[in-house]
Amino acid sequence: MSLVCSVIVSNIEIRPSRFGAPLAQKMVAEAQEELTQRYGSGDENPIESVQFDPPEGAFLIAWADGEPVGCGGWRTISHFDENSGLAEDVAEIKRMYVVPSARNSGVATALLRALEDSARASGMRRVVLETGLAQPEAIAFYTKMGYERIPNYGYYKDYPETVSFGRDL
């Protein structure tokens, strides 16, 4: 079994994409449809395509055997630093999604690590993200990947089903 996963993982290629590109938007729509099935609506947190433009962000698509199998992006968010005031060294992961047929094959791990590497290369020192109680697989995945629960923040801060995570890079 681990040999099969090893082979699948070695076939994963992560490529940058514009958030507004047709393929990226198709994958984001698939992610939103899954959120709608789980929560009754998709992620309503406002996003502008330019937020994922380097160096303030990035959007990546994971490919396996020539097929797009996952996507995700990060954008810079401002926060208040007690020592320096307003700071912009925190990346927020958004639109992380793996197609159902590619789950449990290493795609999510490769994609998340690529997002973290990209954020780190752009000077980010921390990564945060939001997920929800209706996504227990995501909660387990982020915990396994070294993310820790943090106080809820941002758009979904006051939603009781929101679960926020963070990790220093």
Side-chain angles (χ1 to χ4, degrees):
M1 182 101 159
S2 63
L3 180 59
V4 171
C5 287
S6 175
V7 171
I8 292 172
V9 170
S10 68
N11 290 335
I12 297 170
E13 182 181 356
I14 310 291
R15 297 184 210 155
S17 172
R18 298 282 303 195
F19 182 77
L23 177 57
Q25 287 301 296
K26 177 184 179 291
M27 297 198 76
V28 167
E30 289 176 22
Q32 292 284 50
E33 177 57 34
E34 184 168 320
L35 292 177
T36 298
Q37 290 173 10
R38 291 180 186 233
Y39 295 99
S41 68
D43 184 348
E44 298 171 358
N45 187 343
I47 288 181
E48 297 179 33
S49 292
V50 297
Q51 293 176 311
F52 297 97
D53 288 348
E56 292 86 19
F59 195 79
L60 307 175
I61 295 180
W63 297 78
D65 299 321
E67 296 294 321
V69 293
C71 67
W74 67 269
R75 64 182 180 174
T76 302
I77 61 171
S78 298
H79 70 286
F80 185 78
D81 183 290
E82 291 182 13
N83 298 319
S84 62
L86 193 61
E88 292 191 343
D89 59 358
V90 175
E92 180 184 33
I93 302 284
K94 295 297 292 178
R95 305 300 189 253
M96 178 89 174
Y97 173 72
V98 174
V99 299
S101 62
R103 292 180 184 164
N104 298 310
S105 67
V107 172
T109 299
L111 186 55
L112 184 60
R113 291 300 183 228
L115 288 166
E116 292 171 344
D117 290 347
S118 171
R120 187 181 302 107
S122 290
M124 300 296 113
R125 295 185 343 197
R126 184 160 177 78
V127 178
V128 297
L129 60 90
E130 298 169 312
T131 190
L133 295 175
Q135 295 169 272
E137 312 90 340
I139 292 169
F141 171 70
Y142 293 122
T143 300
K144 179 182 91 173
M145 297 301 290
Y147 283 72
E148 296 179 351
R149 290 284 305 266
I150 62 171
N152 288 343
Y153 66 93
Y155 188 84
Y156 291 105
K157 177 177 153 178
D158 297 322
Y159 285 64
E161 65 273 9
T162 298
V163 182
S164 298
F165 286 92
R167 179 175 186 272
D168 290 336
L169 292 175

